[in-house]
Structure formats: C-alpha cells, structure tokens
Amino acid sequence: MDWFPLWNSLRIALISTIVVFFLGIWLAQVVARAHRLVKGVLDVVLTLPLVLPPTVVGYLILLVVGPRRPVGAWLLNVFGVQLTMRWEGAIIATLVVSFPLMYRTARAAFEAFDHTLADAGRTLGKSETWIFWHVTLPTCRQGIIGGCVLAFARALGEYGATSMVAGYTPGSTATVSTTVYQLWRTGDDAGALRWVLVNIAISAVVLLALNFFEGRTRRVVRAASAGGAR
C-alpha cells in the first residue's frame, strides 16, 4: 500500500494550519476591535469560504493563481513558480477553506475575554504586545486550540477545492480524499475502502482531541466559578 497520499495530506494540512493559526488570530483580533459596521463587512468576507461550495472556492483560487491569471502569471514569469497542479497549490486551497473555522473560533474567544485582565497589565506598565502574548492569548488558549484542531481536520479532509487547484497525480499531488475518489472511479472498491478507514481513524483521533480540549475548558470554567462563589 502506497502511503504517499497520507503523508501528503498530513503535510498539506499541517502547513496550512500553521499559516491559519497566525493569520486567524491576527484577523480575529482586528475584527474583534473594529467598529460594528466594519466588523460586519469583514466578518462576511472572512467567513464566506465556510458556506461556499468547495468547488466554487477552488474556481476562485484558480482565477487568482492560475498560470494565465495575474498573480499566477507573475509568479511563473518572475520566480518560475507554478502553484496549480502541484502539492503547494493544495496548501492554498486548504488554507482558504479551513481559515474561517480558525478565525471564527478565535474571534469568539477574544470577544469573551475579560478585558479587566488587560487593564491590570496596563496599570503595571506592560506593553500591548506583552499583554497579548502573556495575558490574552493564554486566557483564550482553549478556544484557539479548538480552532486549530477544527482547521486541521477540515484541511485534512478537503477534496473539492484541492482537486481543482492541485488535481490528482500519484506520488505528487495525491491526497487521501482525492485517492478515495480515483480508486472508486476506477472500480477499486477495496482500495477506496482502505483509505476511507484510514480517514475515519484520523478523523476520530482529531475529534477526540477536540472533545478533550472542550472538556478541559468546561472544567476550568467550573473551577473558576466555584472559586468566585467562595
């Protein structure tokens, strides 16, 4: 059994999740502090990939990074880099599709943050950067970790946008999802089933991790509430 699709899926999902982690936290902070009207517009734009069909997302990505499109042609002519039909292109597809999960989870965590904690840091003369990394982020860590887990799971199981941007090439762009489709299309039901079971196993592990972090969050909240009551 060729394990390349699994390795490729994992590296694509991991890289896109790392990018989404920093990008989602930054934009969640920006939107959480924005004016109501600006917040509404930005929220719609940043969440749109979550409700669009993945094939539509893939098509829109191709309009930007395709070799005959502005950004894609510039990358190809200046750097000799082509993103379509390559595994690197799948990173862009999974990044766009999984980003809203990280962004919305992080934004909810930041909006629920008790700002009196930040005010206490300011009275001690701490900078905004110090407060963010040592107060805000640790306080919101459970929600942020949950967003990362969801984003990783979404990136790992992505098919529609990935297949349009990166296609399916064995040993090059094949992922678990695209391999399942190709094996089914060629009549190899046994091979497709093996990869389906692999995908189910990984998804179960991811969901168990998410439930673990959610359980820890609930225990922390209950402990804080009990301490406040005393």
Side-chain angles (χ1 to χ4, degrees):
M1 186 173 179
D2 179 16
W3 291 100
F4 177 82
L6 177 59
W7 149 248
N8 197 36
S9 296
L10 289 173
R11 69 172 172 176
I12 289 171
L14 182 61
I15 294 172
S16 65
T17 302
I18 292 173
V19 176
V20 161
F21 172 79
F22 292 102
L23 190 61
I25 287 177
W26 174 60
L27 288 174
Q29 278 279 89
V30 171
V31 174
R33 297 174 178 176
H35 184 271
R36 171 184 274 182
L37 180 60
V38 177
K39 179 185 294 187
V41 174
L42 289 176
D43 194 58
V44 169
V45 172
L46 296 175
T47 310
L48 201 56
L50 186 64
V51 296
L52 287 176
T55 50
V56 173
V57 175
Y59 175 74
L60 293 175
I61 293 173
L62 288 175
L63 290 180
V64 178
V65 301
R68 296 184 179 180
R69 300 298 177 177
V71 176
W74 178 76
L75 289 173
L76 186 60
N77 294 330
V78 176
F79 300 102
V81 175
Q82 179 175 327
L83 294 176
T84 56
M85 301 302 120
R86 296 177 59 88
W87 74 272
E88 293 88 350
I91 295 174
I92 298 176
T94 55
L95 192 156
V96 173
V97 171
S98 63
F99 169 80
L101 293 171
M102 180 66 205
Y103 156 73
R104 290 192 70 87
T105 307
R107 196 203 70 187
F110 289 142
E111 289 179 345
F113 174 68
D114 184 359
H115 291 279
T116 58
L117 298 175
D119 293 336
R122 294 186 186 99
T123 60
L124 296 174
K126 301 298 183 180
S127 66
E128 294 297 324
T129 302
W130 189 96
I131 291 172
F132 175 76
W133 288 105
H134 293 85
V135 179
T136 306
L137 207 58
T139 304
C140 302
R141 67 182 180 278
Q142 299 299 335
I144 292 172
I145 291 173
C148 281
V149 173
L150 288 174
F152 179 81
R154 183 67 184 87
L156 191 64
E158 165 55 27
Y159 170 77
T162 300
S163 63
M164 291 192 68
V165 177
Y168 172 80
T169 304
S172 177
T173 66
T175 63
V176 173
S177 298
T178 57
T179 299
V180 169
Y181 174 75
Q182 290 298 324
L183 291 174
W184 168 81
R185 190 177 66 83
T186 56
D188 187 357
D189 290 340
L193 181 59
R194 283 196 296 270
W195 281 113
V196 167
L197 294 176
V198 169
N199 210 344
I200 290 174
I202 296 174
S203 299
V205 171
V206 171
L207 289 176
L208 287 172
L210 180 61
N211 290 336
F212 171 76
F213 287 118
E214 286 181 343
R216 285 192 59 184
T217 301
R218 286 192 292 268
R219 288 193 295 271
V220 170
V221 171
R222 285 197 295 268
S225 300
R230 288 195 295 268

